[in-house]
Amino acid sequence: MSAAAEAASGTYGWMGRVLRVDLATREVNDYPWTADNRRTWVGGKVMAARILGDMLPTGTDPLGADNAVVIATGPLTGTGAPSSARFDISAISPMTGLIASSNSGGPFGTYLKRAGYDALVLAGASVEPVWLEVNEEGVTFHEADDVWGARTSEAQAAMAEAVGRRCGTLAIGPAGENLVRYACVISGERAAGRAGMGAVLGSKNVKGIAAWGDRKVAVAKPEAYRTLLKTWTASLKDHPIAGGSLPELGTAGFLAPMQELGIVATRNFSAGRYEHADAIDGRALADTRLVSNAGCLACPIRCARVVEVDGREVKGPELETLVLLGANIENPDLDRIIEWNVLLDELGLDTMSTGVTLSYAMEAAEKGLWDNGLRFGETDGLAGLFEDIAYRRGLGDELAEGSRELSHRYGGKGFAMNVKGLELAAYEPRGAVGQGLGYAVSNRGGCHLNAGYAVALEGLALRMDGRSPRGKAALTAFFQDLMEVVSATGCCLFTTLGVLPGALVEHPERGVGAFVARVFSYSAGVMRLLRVLPRGLLGIPMPLVPHIRALELVTGERYRFGGFWSVGERGYNLERVLGLRFGNGGALGDTLPTRLLEEPQDAEDPGSVVPLARLKADYYGQRGWTESGEPTARLLERLRVPMR
């Protein structure tokens, strides 16, 4: 039996192999990843952070050959678990200088496991443009001269045709090739959108990857697992958000309640409501443009939109795109947003960072800091500008650097809406201060998901008081950990909506929903106690988190609630340690643009800012970190996080 086969024998859920590909020498070897590694780090972004932490020295250039890319699946990927066709791409981000990951749906993750691998590690850089074919026999290098310069759909189609059979593909567009800092990676029609992973692949001269194979994921307890999947899928379909508003309206359905709550990023986050929000929200999209729903493999939620514009059926925009290329630049034209969404995916540009970088540039021009010709509400010519960004032509070459770099050049740092270099998501946090805390302390930068998505508790599901800091630090830390481990299993984060039962979210402003929201406000003490208890004692039944039982039934390993939580906490603390190593973590990095800290959203309410100092102190205390935001040696030892 070969070493690779021996490593894989007896595994369930995991395929048992990680490939390391040296792009410079074209050598392919098995990366050493043991059974203990699998149990401890599980998969996805948590697994990737551990690999990158072991491989990369301080001072690694994000766009240099020494950076590495880890493309990782989870043990539930390919097992039929609801919404489990996910994979992560991780590397040091050219936007933040930190370890960052970008999660995507699309077919690639499932096919990578069918090829027999849990992850790919790409090291070095190819001298010439290439694309990779990955199957059960290993990796084949293909010259990419014929697809270099192609848009993402064309490149994926060409790779699939060359493979000659059903496969999963991912590709970068011209933006990645030209090292636009917020270039993304596209798989099918889904985007690994954030943190500039497309630029990292571009720096390595990798146009894309196609994966295929016929391996099946072994499940330790298949009969019990099939029973669980039936009840889990049914519970998601019965949930008022996962089975109601998301299939009906997509993520755009959140825009209307955001408008009501005053948390819609408007005019470069200077306001929380947009007067034309109803022209671009989920109802407008569904009533006037929607053709059908779509979804990733194994997804019962099917929140993706297929829309019609000028007789063409195209991918519809998500909430973040609608807000950040709509309200945030004062653009009420839904058709233009739809067209830009498709164009930006084809170019391989993150729609979110594009929108926020554009709004910064508009405000800088308005304030006389930068004569760039851009104005709020004036959208003629922006499609051409997006092309210029992707190809780094003229003004586009400057915009390709992102809002943080531009604010260093032209001023206006207080309204450059990013954290640690990553532009904020669509939620204006002065009306959702827990979300503001999450943005500030997120290891990834201004990300709504790595932030813990407290906005779900502050109005999108429950109705905690969005302006109150009470309980927010404890809940933010817990949901960050929960999302970390759910992502590591290979599941979409929308599957965590079931943690909030339908009875709570159907009428969150009254009855049991209002009662639970109030209880959550006083949960800090209980959450702190749970954090310091030995995790072996936390064998709490958690039917609202079916991921735990699914992970146990698939892998045959025992996690229970305590062990499951520990995976998320371990991953989050490791990312923090790596952030400190690479130089942008700690308290100095955990802040927000001064607009959100010092400019009241409501001129008549001086308190309508994010009270970050108080929130951050509470948060560090909850996590057991020092006053400067560093995990203690004792905590890292307990979590088995390497301290170097």
Side-chain angles (χ1 to χ4, degrees), residues 165-177:
R165 57 163 291 164
R166 183 174 292 182
C167 60
T169 57
L170 58 82
I172 64 172
E177 297 171 8

Side-chain angles (χ1 to χ4, degrees), residues 326-629:
N328 198 47
I329 62 170
E330 296 199 327
N331 167 41
D333 190 330
L334 183 56
D335 285 341
R336 282 200 165 170
I337 298 173
I338 292 170
E339 291 168 2
W340 294 342
N341 183 58
V342 175
L343 173 61
L344 291 166
D345 278 1
E346 289 284 12
L347 294 170
L349 283 168
D350 173 17
T351 61
M352 296 167 66
S353 282
T354 299
V356 178
T357 299
L358 191 61
S359 68
Y360 161 82
M362 290 175 171
E363 185 163 354
E366 184 177 74
K367 287 181 161 53
L369 298 175
W370 181 17
D371 184 14
N372 55 41
L374 298 171
R375 300 289 183 271
F376 288 106
E378 297 181 9
T379 59
D380 289 345
L382 287 187
L385 181 60
F386 298 151
E387 298 256 5
D388 289 343
I389 293 172
Y391 289 97
R392 283 190 172 268
R393 299 183 299 227
L395 175 61
D397 187 36
E398 291 196 88
L399 292 170
E401 294 297 303
S403 63
R404 180 169 68 172
E405 177 60 28
L406 290 170
S407 71
H408 291 161
R409 295 181 189 181
Y410 295 107
K413 183 178 178 181
F415 60 83
M417 307 308 293
N418 67 80
V419 170
K420 303 182 177 85
L422 183 67
E423 283 75 22
L424 300 186
Y427 310 95
E428 210 281 55
R430 287 175 291 187
V433 299
Q435 187 65 35
L437 167 67
Y439 282 147
V441 299
S442 165
N443 293 319
R444 190 189 194 198
C447 171
H448 56 304
L449 299 173
N450 197 231
Y453 207 57
V455 69
L457 307 177
E458 296 175 302
L460 298 190
L462 290 185
R463 285 293 175 97
M464 295 179 72
D465 182 354
R467 292 275 178 87
S468 171
R470 189 184 296 274
K472 300 295 176 61
L475 293 168
T476 293
F478 174 72
F479 278 96
Q480 284 173 327
D481 292 345
L482 177 63
M483 289 185 172
E484 193 89 352
V485 62
V486 167
S487 183
T489 68
C491 282
C492 174
L493 295 181
F494 278 146
T495 60
T496 63
L497 287 167
V499 174
L500 303 173
L504 303 184
V505 303
E506 282 185 297
H507 301 290
E509 72 285 351
R510 64 177 187 268
V512 66
F515 173 75
V516 170
R518 184 167 179 80
V519 170
F520 274 15
S521 296
Y522 294 92
S523 63
V526 173
M527 296 301 299
R528 186 73 186 100
L529 176 62
L530 291 176
R531 280 190 178 274
V532 299
L533 285 174
R535 291 300 162 83
L537 298 179
L538 298 182
I540 306 168
M542 293 290 286
L544 298 178
V545 189
H547 313 73
I548 304 172
R549 187 62 179 148
L551 183 61
E552 292 182 331
L553 292 175
V554 167
T555 66
E557 302 288 345
R558 180 183 175 90
Y559 284 94
R560 299 297 186 262
F561 171 60
F564 190 77
W565 184 3
S566 287
V567 174
E569 187 180 15
R570 180 177 301 122
Y572 207 88
N573 277 272
L574 174 60
E575 290 172 352
R576 185 70 174 194
V577 168
L578 296 177
L580 292 166
R581 180 199 299 179
F582 290 105
N584 197 15
L588 292 178
D590 292 343
T591 191
L592 294 169
T594 54
R595 162 162 290 162
L596 305 176
L597 303 176
E598 299 176 3
E599 299 177 20
Q601 188 191 78
D602 181 351
E604 297 182 0
D605 179 6
S608 57
V609 294
V610 179
L612 186 58
R614 172 184 169 178
L615 285 163
K616 203 160 60 171
D618 291 347
Y619 176 87
Y620 290 166
Q622 271 289 326
R623 283 212 172 272
W625 293 353
T626 68
E627 292 182 359
S628 61

Side-chain angles (χ1 to χ4, degrees), residues 18 44 47-49 51-52 55 68-72 88-91 119-122:
V18 175
M47 170 190 192
I51 292 172
L52 291 169
M55 289 182 65
V69 176
V70 180
I71 304 174
D88 273 282
I89 306 179
S90 297
L120 297 176
V121 180
L122 306 182

Side-chain angles (χ1 to χ4, degrees), residues 104-359:
S104 180
F108 183 82
T110 299
Y111 280 95
L112 182 61
K113 290 192 75 171
R114 289 180 184 174
Y117 311 108
D118 294 309
L120 297 176
V121 180
L122 306 182
S126 176
V127 175
E128 303 294 338
V130 296
W131 64 271
L132 308 180
E133 180 181 351
V134 181
N135 57 38
E136 295 172 60
E137 301 301 318
V139 177
T140 301
F141 286 77
H142 295 270
E143 302 307 316
D145 292 343
D146 56 338
V147 291
W148 198 257
R151 302 195 176 199
T152 56
S153 64
E154 180 186 349
Q156 290 186 89
M159 290 189 293
E161 183 178 3
V163 167
R165 57 163 291 164
R166 183 174 292 182
C167 60
T169 57
L170 58 82
I172 64 172
E177 297 171 8
N178 291 300
L179 308 187
V180 176
R181 290 191 182 272
Y182 44 93
C184 66
V185 181
I186 301 293
S187 175
E189 287 191 327
R190 311 302 294 172
R194 309 234 65 199
M197 297 298 105
V200 180
L201 285 179
S203 73
K204 294 182 173 300
N205 274 326
V206 174
K207 180 64 178 181
I209 308 174
W212 60 271
D214 296 312
R215 294 281 302 277
K216 293 185 178 180
V217 182
V219 173
K221 299 181 179 179
E223 188 172 336
Y225 188 55
R226 283 192 292 269
T227 300
L228 174 68
L229 294 188
K230 289 179 183 178
T231 58
W232 188 0
T233 299
S235 70
L236 286 171
K237 289 184 174 180
D238 288 342
H239 194 273
I241 299 178
S245 62
L246 278 174
E248 180 186 5
L249 301 175
T251 58
F254 292 132
L255 207 163
M258 288 167 63
Q259 175 78 353
E260 177 189 348
L261 295 163
I263 58 173
V264 179
T266 302
R267 197 180 174 87
N268 197 33
F269 289 77
S270 62
R273 290 188 175 90
Y274 180 46
E275 61 178 328
H276 301 298
D278 59 352
I280 60 172
D281 68 9
R283 179 52 60 195
L285 193 69
D287 289 348
T288 65
R289 310 297 195 286
L290 185 66
V291 175
S292 63
N293 292 16
C296 302
L297 294 174
C299 180
I301 299 173
R302 301 188 67 77
C303 66
R305 312 284 90 184
V306 177
V307 299
E308 184 174 355
V309 177
D310 296 331
R312 295 180 300 128
E313 292 186 6
V314 297
K315 169 188 170 182
E318 306 260 1
L319 167 74
E320 309 294 338
T321 305
L322 288 163
V323 172
L324 297 175
L325 288 171
N328 198 47
I329 62 170
E330 296 199 327
N331 167 41
D333 190 330
L334 183 56
D335 285 341
R336 282 200 165 170
I337 298 173
I338 292 170
E339 291 168 2
W340 294 342
N341 183 58
V342 175
L343 173 61
L344 291 166
D345 278 1
E346 289 284 12
L347 294 170
L349 283 168
D350 173 17
T351 61
M352 296 167 66
S353 282
T354 299
V356 178
T357 299
L358 191 61
S359 68

